[in-house]
């Protein structure tokens, strides 16, 4: 038994309810001033007022006592949406976008996601692992302790399985909890350009069953967008995945409103992603169905698009989570502090709402809410020590990371 007592910390954490936090609850965070946390074998056995925690710890043999000197402590970030497993960056394409070429046109011309597909197909599994590892360690040092990672740059059975194998190894080879998502429906590969429905057939008949057989992904995602997968094709893919035992999520209404948010509500997916162009009636349907909005403000920033209507979503009681979307194309950042800052400064979220969105709601959206996302008894001792008095430092100290120490299961990992 490894028993560690952390004391003299100002602990800010959301508290778990029976569903993701929405509406007023989106902004509810408790504060334990000069509080303490007891970690036993990586799990929290007491947290709160120092006297209460000491009562619990009294008489127990401690392996370590850590004086946090009055620092601000929050749960480790959960990044619930990334494409962080890729083989090459696309910096030149970024310059093309800056010069005015739209993101979807680059894809249509065979670049964008498709150039990442070429790179992943060319890469050995070892190379892909090394590159991904570097990106993921950067995320860890910025406070991400749980991460969702999608495949979707392989787009043939062999290459998708290669990506998912790498993603699995990242989970086993790093301190992070990794949630793997199969996203064979990320784009239509060149060889199916003239017949996208045949690619949907391949997804449904070969790729989804192959991934399910290996049990190496818990979620399935699809890019529902003009020129990518239509609403009907997305439905077919997601329904097949559901039958095969996957949990679902969907890239919905990122550039154009195809009704992806409505499909998310209909299928009761865990989350719907992006939603920059989603219509109000579909957002209402999401609220009723309890679908989490995974909002990716760094993508709006990088695509120079208006931000998602988060205030409206909170008003409609759609639970909101925030994620990086880290990928080599539409948005290259591993930084949850950056995303937190954009949430507060550019989408008018309160600091508390952004904290819930980057921790507990993000955990719900990847099905990890029982283990991570808040500092409560029974959960993993995954937490961050910040160089500031409150989580507001994440928005206030712009362009730098105030994450000083990262603890995963009670162990200092970054
Ligand atoms: O979420 N929209 C689709 N997928 C990613 C972009 C992937 C890429 O450009 O490589 C996104 O923005
Ligand atoms: Fe994405």
């Amino acid at each position: 038994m490894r028993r560690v007592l952390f004391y003299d910390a100002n602990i800010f954490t959301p508290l778990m309810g029976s569903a993701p936090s929405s509406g007023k609850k989106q902004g509810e965070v408790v504060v334990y001033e000069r509080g303490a946390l007891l970690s036993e074998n990586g799990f929290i056995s007491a947290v709160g007022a120092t006297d209460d925690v000491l009562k619990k710890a009294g008489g127990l043999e401690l392996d370590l006592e850590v004086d946090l000197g009055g620092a601000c402590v929050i749960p480790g970030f959960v990044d619930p949406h990334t494409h962080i497993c890729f083989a090459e960056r696309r910096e030149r394409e970024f310059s093309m976008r800056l010069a005015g070429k739209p993101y979807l046109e680059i894809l249509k011309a065979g670049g964008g996601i498709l150039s990442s597909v070429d790179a992943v197909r060319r890469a050995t599994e070892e190379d892909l692992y090394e590159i991904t590892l570097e990106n993921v360690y950067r995320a860890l040092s910025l406070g991400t302790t749980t991460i969702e990672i999608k495949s979707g740059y392989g787009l043939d059975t062999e290459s998708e399985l290669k990506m998912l194998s790498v993603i699995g190894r990242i989970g086993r080879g790093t301190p992070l909890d990794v949630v793997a998502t199969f996203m064979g429906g990320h784009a239509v590969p060149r060889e199916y350009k003239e017949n996208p429905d045949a690619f949907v057939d391949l997804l449904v008949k070969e790729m989804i069953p192959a991934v399910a057989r290996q049990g190496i992904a818990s979620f399935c995602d699809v890019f529902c967008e003009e020129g990518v997968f239509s609403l009907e094709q997305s439905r077919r893919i997601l329904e097949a995945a559901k039958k095969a035992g996957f949990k679902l999520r969907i890239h919905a209404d990122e550039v154009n409103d195809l009704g992806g948010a409505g499909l998310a509500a209909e299928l009761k997916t865990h989350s719907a992603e992006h939603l920059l162009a989603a219509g109000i009636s579909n957002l209402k349907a999401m609220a009723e169905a309890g679908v989490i909005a995974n909002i990716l403000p760094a993508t709006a920033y990088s695509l120079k698009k208006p931000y998602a209507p988060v205030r409206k979503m909170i008003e409609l009681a759609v639970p909101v989570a925030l994620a990086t979307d880290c990928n080599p194309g539409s948005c290259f950042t591993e930084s949850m502090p950056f995303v937190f800052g954009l949430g507060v400064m550019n989408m008018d979220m309160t600091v508390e709402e952004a904290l819930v969105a980057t921790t507990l709601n993000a955990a719900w959206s990847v099905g990890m809410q029982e283990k991570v996302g808040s500092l409560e008894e029974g959960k993993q001792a995954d937490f961050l020590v910040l160089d500031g008095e409150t989580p507001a430092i994440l928005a206030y100290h712009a362009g730098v990371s105030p994450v000083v120490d990262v603890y995963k299961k009670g162990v200092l990992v970054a």
Side-chain angles (χ1 to χ4, degrees):
M1 167 78 79
R2 184 174 186 272
R3 204 176 272 125
V4 187
L5 176 70
F6 300 91
Y7 64 95
D8 199 10
N10 290 323
I11 302 171
F12 294 74
T13 181
L15 297 179
M16 270 278 273
S18 54
S21 303
S22 64
K24 202 167 98 20
K25 277 208 70 149
Q26 174 88 44
E28 285 176 11
V29 167
V30 296
V31 188
Y32 307 120
E33 275 173 39
R34 304 259 147 179
L37 184 150
L38 181 64
S39 165
E40 294 188 316
N41 277 348
F43 289 84
I44 300 171
S45 56
V47 58
T50 300
D51 285 352
D52 298 341
V53 176
L54 287 183
K55 230 177 266 162
K56 177 109 187 192
L60 296 175
E61 203 171 303
L62 297 172
D63 293 281
L64 189 65
E65 290 182 54
V66 183
D67 180 353
L68 291 173
C72 170
V73 163
I74 62 171
F77 290 128
V78 177
D79 187 347
H81 179 142
T82 83
H83 310 256
I84 203 169
C85 177
F86 57 81
E88 283 173 20
R89 297 180 180 185
R90 296 178 354 226
E91 197 169 328
R92 277 202 208 126
E93 177 191 312
F94 176 70
S95 300
M96 282 161 70
R97 287 202 288 108
L98 288 183
K101 200 156 171 80
Y103 175 73
L104 284 180
E105 264 181 39
I106 295 172
L107 176 62
K108 213 165 152 192
I113 295 174
L114 294 180
S115 67
S116 287
V117 170
D118 293 337
V120 162
R121 286 180 179 179
R122 271 196 309 268
T124 64
E125 178 168 330
E126 230 26 62
D127 287 346
L128 191 57
Y129 178 71
E130 289 302 326
I131 295 163
T132 306
L133 197 64
E134 204 178 291
N135 295 340
V136 166
Y137 268 112
R138 206 154 29 233
L140 180 68
S141 71
L142 292 160
T144 298
T145 49
T146 297
I147 192 168
E148 185 256 18
I149 309 179
K150 302 172 200 297
S151 69
Y153 293 130
L155 306 191
D156 60 38
T157 308
E158 190 192 333
S159 310
E160 284 294 306
L161 290 173
K162 176 170 78 180
M163 285 192 77
L164 288 167
S165 166
V166 166
I167 294 166
R169 286 172 61 192
I170 296 286
R172 295 187 296 278
T174 70
L176 288 93
D177 278 301
V178 172
V179 176
T181 294
F182 168 64
M183 200 175 177
H186 195 191
V188 177
R190 274 193 207 99
E191 58 275 21
Y192 284 91
K193 195 174 174 202
E194 302 310 323
N195 192 0
D197 277 324
F199 182 62
V200 178
D201 282 342
L202 181 78
L203 276 165
V204 167
K205 294 187 183 141
E206 184 180 306
M207 290 165 80
I208 289 173
V211 175
R213 255 193 315 275
Q214 293 201 11
I216 48 177
S218 42
F219 280 87
C220 178
D221 195 345
V222 62
F223 190 10
C224 179
E225 183 57 68
E226 231 166 79
V228 192
F229 295 98
S230 68
L231 195 67
E232 273 323 304
Q233 290 170 328
S234 302
R235 179 185 276 112
R236 235 192 112 202
I237 294 164
L238 292 179
E239 279 177 345
K242 190 173 184 176
K243 262 200 207 125
F246 290 90
K247 295 177 265 189
L248 307 180
R249 52 199 336 120
I250 174 172
H251 281 58
D253 312 325
E254 176 177 355
V255 184
N256 301 288
D257 181 7
L258 295 199
L263 181 60
E266 181 192 321
L267 298 178
K268 292 199 188 318
T269 61
H270 264 63
S271 63
E273 331 288 303
H274 289 288
L275 304 168
L276 299 183
I280 293 289
S281 64
N282 285 337
L283 290 178
K284 281 188 183 152
M286 275 178 60
E288 260 160 50
V291 177
I292 297 170
N294 272 351
I295 299 303
L296 315 167
T299 309
Y301 163 90
S302 176
L303 294 178
K304 297 194 179 194
K305 297 264 182 206
Y307 289 85
V310 165
R311 284 262 55 89
K312 189 82 208 161
M313 291 172 184
I314 293 175
E315 191 186 303
L316 294 172
V318 179
V320 173
L322 290 171
T324 60
D325 195 21
C326 182
N327 73 73
S330 66
C331 174
F332 185 33
T333 181
E334 299 88 353
S335 176
M336 287 298 276
F338 176 52
V339 164
F340 192 108
L342 289 176
V344 171
M345 304 309 294
N346 292 28
M347 298 195 303
D348 286 335
M349 298 177 84
T350 65
V351 166
E352 291 77 13
E353 286 168 346
L355 186 62
V356 171
T358 48
T359 58
L360 186 55
N361 276 3
W364 276 99
S365 105
V366 294
M368 288 286 285
Q369 70 278 2
E370 301 296 334
K371 284 190 176 164
V372 302
S374 59
L375 300 175
E376 296 180 83
E377 226 178 285
K379 283 199 175 185
Q380 291 179 190
D382 295 4
F383 62 88
L384 313 177
V385 180
L386 303 183
D387 172 29
E389 292 168 18
T390 70
I393 191 69
L394 289 155
Y396 171 50
H397 202 175
V400 299
S401 167
V403 176
V404 180
D405 290 325
V406 180
Y407 285 89
K408 182 74 181 172
K409 288 185 138 187
V411 176
L412 183 66
V413 289

